[in-house]
Structures are given as C-alpha cells and as structure tokens.
Amino acid sequence: MSAVRARGLVKSYRTLVAVAGLNLDVAEGEVFGMLGPNGAGKTTTVKMVCGMARKTGGDLFVLGLDVDRNLRQIQHRLGVMPQDDNLDPDLTPRQNLEVHAGYFRLSRREAAARASDLLDFVQLGAHADVPVSTLSGGMRRRLLLARALINRPALLLLDEPTVGLDPQSRLAVWSKVLALRQEGVTIILTTHAMDEAERLCGRVAIVDRGRIVAEGPPLDLIARHVPREVVEVRGSDGPPDVPFWPGVRVEHSQETVYLYADDVGPLLPLLAGGGRSVLRRRSNLEDVFLTLTGRDMRE
Amino acid sequence: MAPRRIQAVSATLSLLLHSLLALVSPYTYAVVRRNARVWRTYVWASLIGNLGEPLLYLAAIGFGIGSLLGPEGIGGIPYDVYLAPGILVSTSMYTAVFECTFGSFTRMKPQKTYDAILATPVTPVELAAGEVLTAALKSGVGAAIVLAVIASFGLVWSPLALLTVPLGLVVGFAFGALGLVTATLSPDYSFFNYFFTLVIAPMFLLSGIFFPVETLPGWAVVLAHVFPLTHAVRIARALTLGQAAPFLLLHLAALFAGGVAATALAAALLRRRLIP
C-alpha cells in the first residue's frame, strides 16, 4: 500500500490552478521530497493530503483511505509540521504538546508521558515549562516537529521544516528527521533547499506549475538530467564572455555563466585570467532543479 | 423541488444535525479543554472583569435611578431588584460575544490556532462548537458571580434564581455562536465595531434590562422581541422574582435553537474560510 497515492490531482481557485493533474506515489517508510519554486503547488498538495485544502479534481488516497470519505481516520494517523508557526503562544511547550494530544483523544496520562519523551527527543527538556514566546526560532521549529509526532503518526508531513533557520538549527532538525527515517516513519517534506533534499530524501519529485516534472532518487536525477560537472564563471563587471565549445552546455543566469560537461577539466585553462572567477564543482540537485524549472524568477 | 434545491436543504439539515451532535463530541471538549487551560493562566483578570462592570451598573443606575423612582420602582418592584437580573444576563452576553469575537478571531487569524486544530481529527463543526461552548462556560461562571453579588445585596427574591446560572450558559451559547459568525466574517478587528455598535449595543439598551420593552414605540417593541436578549432577560427576571412559569421554557428553547443554528452557520463559514 502506498502512503500517498494521487491520480490527476487538481486544485484550482477562482483565478489560479495551483495543482494541475498531479500524480504521486509515496511508498511506506520512505522520505519523499517535493522540490519546486514558490507557487509550484507543493504546499497546496501537502494541504490536500492533510485536509487543510479541498481538492477540486482527481483522486487522493492517504494511508489507503480516500480523503473525501475518511478524512478523520486519516488525520488520526497524520503528523503535520506547517510552514507557518502556529504554536499556542499562551501555553508552555509542554502544554502545547499535551493540548495537541487532546485533539487525538489521547488520555491525559498518555499525553503527559509522550510530551515528556518528545521534549527530550527535540532537546527542549530544559525549556519545557517556559512561555513559548521566549523560545528561539530554532526551538520553535523543533517544538512544531515534536507536536507533529504526538500521535505517533504513520505519515509525517513537513512543510519547509528548516526555512529561516541558522545552520546549527538546520542541522538539529535534520538529525531529528534522519532519526525518524531510521525508525521507518514515512515522511513527505517540501523544501527549496536542495542540500536538504539531497541529505534527507530517498526520493524527490521536482514540482513545477502544479505538476511533477521529474522524480527519482537525488543521485539518479542528477545523473539523468545534468552532466557530471559544472564550472561557474563570474566576471568582475557583468557577465563574462564565454566562447562556445561543442559538447558543453552553457547557461546564463544573472552575472554567472554555468558550463556543464561530464569532464570540465580541459575547459579550465581556457577560462583562467581576465579577472574572471572560476569554480569547478560536481553537479547537484540545484542544477537539475534550475535546468528543469528554468532560471527565471517566478514571482 | 429541483434536485439542487433538495441538495441544499439536505446539506443544511445535515449541518444542523452535526452541530447538535458536536455538542456531545469528545473532540469538541478537547477544544474546550484547550481554552480552559489558557483561561487558567489569566483567570483572576477575567473574573474581576466579570465582577467590576455589573457592580458599576448596579451602583450607578440601580441605586442612582432607583432613588429617583422611589420605592414604587417599576410596577411595584424596586428598581434595583428590577435591574439586577438584566445585568446578570447582559454580563453573560458580553462575556460570550467578547470571547467569540476578539478571542476567537485572535486564535483564528494572528495565532493560526485553528489551522493547527483543523489539521488534527477535530472537524470544523467541532471546532466551532468548542469555541461556542467555551463562551457558554465562561458566561455561566459570569452569571454565577453576578448572582452571588446581587443575592448579597438582597436583590434576589427567590431560590429559583439559582437557575440563572444554567440560563447564563445558554445565553453564552447563543451569543457566543453569534459572535463566532461575526468573527468568521471579519477581515480584521475593526469589523467588530459594526457588530458591537449595530447589534450588541441596541440589544443591551432595548431588551428590557433597564425598562419594560412595552414602553417602547410599537415598531421598537417588535424589534425588541426579535432580540434574543429580550427572551433571556424575561426568563432571568421571572427567576429572581420567583415568578417562573412553564412558557419560559419556550423562550429558553428559542435561545438554544438560535445558538445551534448560529453554530452551524459559523462552522460553515469557518470551513469556507480556513479550508479552501
């Protein structure tokens, strides 16, 4: 059984089609990443999965159940970490977790036990009983993650889990996600941080204009869609002139030129000098992303 | 009837039924417990609010105007005794509408608490019912406090007055639901000005709290009888004076039914607003 199965999923608003016939299969136990520019339809898809948006077309099954018929049953087994911080500011972290447990009809004792465990898991034990308003951004994200786990979900939805965090906090959230992955929790996460997707996800889908344009394990996607290496060339004033070489893909973006080839070694001597900065690196998911979704701004 | 019309009617009936069922759903009480937990953190401030304003009204208007009217009062009832049950009911009303306008809107919009709740197994109807029952609970507490005050001033003539506490619950339920409908329609806090100025204030002044509704001009009498508060005042006054009669149950049923209908409407609006 797939954790999520969407066929021709559509979400249209009065003037906008946010999700345009999306097909999706997320297997149990995998960490699945949805990447895409702002407005691609990632968050809308996640919201339809957890019942916070109603689909306008297609089929959507979550944990084997139809969202139109068995939403409550689905929601009992779902953990949601939203993009927007919606912690209860009037309550402490511990109370936030205990109150949330109530929405899943957990007993008071069970709620208290799980809250304590989860506060330890996200390293907030020392801050369990202070007002939420005194927590840092990173602590709040960790608390949101803990809250999403209070019902021991079979499927965890993380909508941009590390947006706006400093590197230390990002690493802290990542290590928690990796620990959950070890335990076999099925996770869907949306992000536009490519390093995050490469690091955490067994499989990713690149979403653009409401559809999935590519899907697979990160390394496969890189191998499939871009040559192995990249040279980034920046001019000291404006975009540098780069001559054409056969077999080398050239892309321009703002003041940088990207040269893609399986081996960029022979190009390097030709690019040296002239006040240009030259950086050679391996291709990554970001290159796939930009290749598939274009380099133009979307908003 | 056209099939579409039938569909709309059955959807409305089903929503009303769900709103009624939500009053006994455990998910609803999870929402009530959340609000009660927050309430505990500032319970004293809210209780003093419950106590302070009715005391002011009783002192300024009850004893002030009361002394002008003399011992005859209104229809042989001393004015402070006449006024007291109305103040009790209006305290319940204000407690509930504040809770479900400013309070609910804060949870819905800036705090996004509703979004957090609706991603869990709690349905929009249960969320709305939980908010309205919270208001009912606070209104019941408010009624109990005012009852204690007016009883200690000797303004209560019958032990039937104890029933004003459950009455306060029902008043809070009806007006909480009305407030929640307003909150779900509000783009921002300033919208509540319309509600308080155009709905709540006229109701407060014309529902027979301060003077008998029948002394109003004919059109205003009709208007006053549309106000739910008029029914509540009538029941409360009968209880504190010890004049309870079975027909008062009709007034109570009207309040309750209005509350259920408004809860259903609020739930539908909530769903439309938060689950696009």
Side-chain angles (χ1 to χ4, degrees):
Chain A
M1 186 190 73
S2 346
V4 174
R5 188 179 134 88
R7 288 294 174 272
L9 187 61
V10 175
K11 177 64 189 178
S12 49
Y13 298 95
R14 213 165 293 166
T15 56
L16 170 98
V17 179
V19 175
L22 184 131
N23 296 321
L24 182 67
D25 280 287
V26 178
E28 270 182 81
E30 76 171 326
V31 179
F32 185 84
M34 294 182 72
L35 315 181
N38 289 329
K42 311 180 297 281
T43 295
T44 307
T45 303
V46 167
K47 283 190 166 172
M48 284 190 278
V49 170
C50 66
M52 290 304 290
R54 285 172 278 173
K55 65 183 166 71
T56 49
D59 293 317
L60 179 58
F61 291 87
V62 180
L63 302 167
L65 299 166
D66 188 338
V67 290
D68 285 340
R69 288 186 191 171
N70 304 98
L71 187 59
R72 170 132 54 198
Q73 262 170 289
I74 293 170
Q75 284 171 327
H76 260 288
R77 303 177 60 205
L78 223 53
V80 182
M81 179 175 171
Q83 202 176 115
D84 294 325
D85 179 334
N86 56 22
L87 292 168
D88 221 315
D90 298 313
L91 302 173
T92 66
R94 187 188 303 283
Q95 290 169 340
N96 260 279
L97 299 185
E98 290 177 356
V99 162
H100 207 72
Y103 305 140
F104 294 92
R105 298 189 60 191
L106 296 176
S107 73
R108 229 168 256 233
R109 180 187 300 184
E110 183 66 22
R114 289 193 192 183
S116 291
D117 288 350
L118 286 169
L119 287 165
D120 288 340
F121 174 67
V122 297
Q123 290 155 300
L124 284 174
H127 303 271
D129 302 302
V130 301
V132 157
S133 53
T134 63
L135 300 187
S136 69
M139 290 174 175
R140 295 176 76 101
R141 296 304 297 176
R142 266 143 57 206
L143 181 57
L144 279 168
L145 176 62
R147 195 184 68 179
L149 295 169
I150 196 80
N151 57 326
R152 304 211 173 120
L155 172 63
L156 183 61
L157 304 175
L158 309 175
D159 195 2
E160 299 195 10
T162 61
V163 72
L165 293 187
D166 62 36
Q168 287 86 347
S169 304
R170 252 159 72 92
L171 287 173
V173 171
W174 286 2
S175 84
K176 300 307 159 201
V177 173
L178 290 169
L180 293 166
R181 177 179 159 161
Q182 281 294 313
E183 288 177 29
V185 180
T186 311
I187 301 173
I188 297 178
L189 71 89
T190 75
T191 183
H192 14 229
M194 300 302 140
D195 51 342
E196 182 162 293
E198 277 190 62
R199 177 82 170 268
L200 302 179
C201 301
R203 217 154 54 88
V204 298
I206 292 177
V207 185
D208 196 24
R209 299 175 207 278
R211 282 195 186 86
I212 290 177
V213 294
E215 197 178 335
L219 291 178
D220 287 10
L221 280 184
I222 296 165
R224 213 186 310 153
H225 292 281
V226 286
R228 226 169 283 145
E229 290 189 314
V230 193
V231 190
E232 292 180 17
V233 189
R234 285 188 192 87
S236 51
D237 43 4
D241 286 332
V242 177
F244 173 79
W245 284 286
V248 177
R249 200 164 90 217
V250 182
E251 296 220 15
H252 296 259
S253 174
Q254 318 280 354
E255 78 289 354
T256 308
V257 177
Y258 297 81
L259 303 170
Y260 289 95
D262 282 334
D263 178 10
V264 294
L267 303 179
L268 295 176
L270 305 167
L271 291 166
R276 289 181 286 224
S277 93
V278 176
L279 172 72
R280 177 187 188 175
R281 61 171 175 80
R282 300 188 70 79
S283 311
N284 58 30
L285 211 47
E286 187 153 351
D287 299 304
V288 178
F289 184 85
L290 291 172
T291 301
L292 292 173
T293 64
R295 289 178 192 271
D296 298 329
M297 292 278 285
R298 283 304 166 75
E299 291 184 324
Chain B
M1 276 198 289
R4 178 167 290 188
R5 178 82 69 73
I6 295 172
Q7 218 168 37
V9 169
S10 82
T12 307
L13 287 178
S14 141
L15 183 61
L16 284 170
L17 179 67
H18 278 98
S19 305
L20 205 55
L21 289 176
L23 298 180
V24 293
S25 160
Y27 296 98
T28 300
Y29 288 92
V31 176
V32 176
R33 275 207 306 277
R34 180 253 163 228
N35 291 336
R37 188 137 208 187
V38 173
W39 193 26
R40 268 195 284 179
T41 60
Y42 57 88
V43 64
W44 290 113
S46 82
L47 291 185
I48 284 174
N50 271 334
L51 200 65
E53 222 169 283
L55 270 178
L56 278 173
Y57 273 106
L58 280 174
I61 299 181
F63 304 126
I65 295 186
S67 64
L68 290 176
L69 289 173
E72 255 311 287
I74 291 183
I77 300 162
Y79 190 62
D80 48 5
V81 176
Y82 182 87
L83 182 65
I87 295 300
L88 181 144
V89 164
S90 72
T91 301
S92 292
M93 173 183 81
Y94 272 110
T95 304
V97 287
F98 271 109
E99 177 64 29
C100 282
T101 51
F102 292 98
S104 292
F105 189 80
T106 301
R107 293 188 278 277
M108 176 171 63
K109 207 174 177 192
Q111 287 183 196
K112 299 191 174 77
T113 309
Y114 286 4
D115 291 319
I117 293 173
L118 290 175
T120 72
V122 178
T123 63
V125 178
E126 288 156 348
L127 172 56
E131 290 285 278
V132 172
L133 286 177
T134 303
L137 216 59
K138 291 189 181 183
S139 296
V141 171
I145 290 171
V146 177
L147 177 63
V149 171
I150 61 177
S152 69
F153 285 135
L155 306 178
V156 168
W157 286 1
S158 160
L160 278 177
L162 282 172
L163 293 174
T164 56
V165 175
L167 173 67
L169 277 173
V170 178
V171 168
F173 176 69
F175 282 95
L178 197 61
L180 193 60
V181 169
T182 311
T184 53
L185 290 170
S186 302
D188 49 51
Y189 288 102
S190 62
F191 187 80
F192 297 139
N193 287 336
Y194 297 111
F195 178 62
F196 278 93
T197 311
L198 299 177
V199 180
I200 296 301
M203 221 179 307
F204 178 56
L205 293 171
L206 303 178
S207 288
I209 293 175
F210 299 101
F211 52 86
V213 168
E214 289 69 28
T215 58
L216 289 165
W219 62 269
V221 174
V222 174
L223 185 67
H225 280 100
V226 176
F227 289 154
L229 193 63
T230 307
H231 301 274
V233 171
R234 192 148 289 175
I235 304 170
R237 188 165 290 135
L239 292 173
T240 58
L241 296 178
Q243 303 169 341
F247 76 93
L248 292 174
L249 283 174
L250 276 179
H251 289 287
L252 194 68
L255 276 175
F256 180 73
V260 172
T263 302
L265 179 59
L269 292 166
L270 201 65
R271 181 163 187 259
R272 196 185 67 176
R273 177 165 179 158
L274 295 182
I275 310 182

